[in-house]
Amino acid sequence: IHIRMGPDYKTIYNGTTKLKEYEKGYFNCLNFMINKGINCFFVFTNDKDYCYQILNNNPEYNGIEFIYSNERDYVDIWMISLIKNNIVSASTLAWWGSYLNNNQDKNIIVPNNCRNDLHLPEWTVLDYNEPIINQRRIKMGRPYDANFLYLYW
């Protein structure tokens, strides 16, 4: 999970519904992967307090482990490329990390509220407005067998 927040984004999102829309999209992707049996996520962020508030303090995610990175951005992108599964945001760092992912059995998910023009054809697009139970995958991948997922926000 990479959440770029901090004072600049808080100023941009202050008084708008955009932040809640993005949160809803990524929570839907997160829940989709939890339903696949993944219960441990890496978190890359410049605002750990915010991430802790929406993830660790969220009762919906009791029993889910969030591991926070303390690395530089260039190390984070390298780590993203090595993780088997990715959830991608409208971020070039997230996109490149997922694009460079060479795992044979990778599954890359993107919520459709994050610049639809930036996903590759083999990536799975989820509608952030529909419950997971109604989702259909754009392209089916191989079965999940990883214990980790990278959710990039």
Side-chain angles (χ1 to χ4, degrees):
I1 301 171
H2 179 273
I3 302 173
R4 189 175 311 156
M5 192 44 70
D8 51 338
Y9 280 83
K10 287 178 182 171
T11 300
I12 292 168
Y13 290 130
N14 188 26
T16 70
T17 59
K18 192 69 169 170
L19 180 60
K20 292 298 178 192
E21 288 178 27
Y22 280 116
E23 287 177 0
K24 184 178 178 182
Y26 292 107
F27 289 155
N28 205 31
C29 290
L30 182 61
N31 293 335
F32 179 85
M33 296 312 295
I34 290 170
N35 286 337
K36 297 291 183 185
I38 296 172
N39 61 7
C40 186
F41 298 85
F42 287 100
V43 181
F44 304 91
T45 185
N46 65 340
D47 193 339
K48 287 184 183 177
D49 292 337
Y50 174 75
C51 292
Y52 197 86
Q53 174 188 341
I54 66 169
L55 300 173
N56 296 78
N57 287 341
N58 187 334
E60 187 174 345
Y61 300 122
N62 285 341
I64 304 301
E65 184 177 5
F66 297 101
I67 301 168
Y68 290 84
S69 171
N70 290 315
E71 300 296 335
R72 303 279 310 234
D73 54 357
Y74 58 87
V75 175
D76 284 348
I77 197 170
W78 172 70
M79 291 171 62
I80 294 165
S81 74
L82 298 176
I83 297 172
K84 184 173 181 178
N85 300 303
N86 307 105
I87 294 179
V88 183
S89 70
S91 162
T92 55
L93 187 76
W95 191 92
W96 278 106
S98 297
Y99 177 80
L100 295 170
N101 184 334
N102 287 323
N103 288 295
Q104 292 294 322
D105 297 326
K106 68 184 170 197
N107 190 16
I108 299 176
I109 309 284
V110 59
N112 73 342
N113 64 339
C114 287
R115 296 211 38 200
N116 287 333
D117 59 333
L118 291 180
H119 68 273
L120 298 179
E122 64 270 16
W123 292 3
T124 301
V125 179
L126 293 181
D127 185 346
Y128 79 98
N129 281 315
E130 288 190 36
I132 309 169
I133 199 161
N134 296 331
Q135 296 291 336
R136 63 185 167 79
R137 295 191 52 190
I138 302 297
K139 177 167 174 71
M140 297 302 286
R142 295 184 212 175
Y144 296 91
D145 63 355
N147 294 322
F148 291 103
L149 166 76
Y150 172 69
L151 170 65
Y152 195 95
W153 195 324

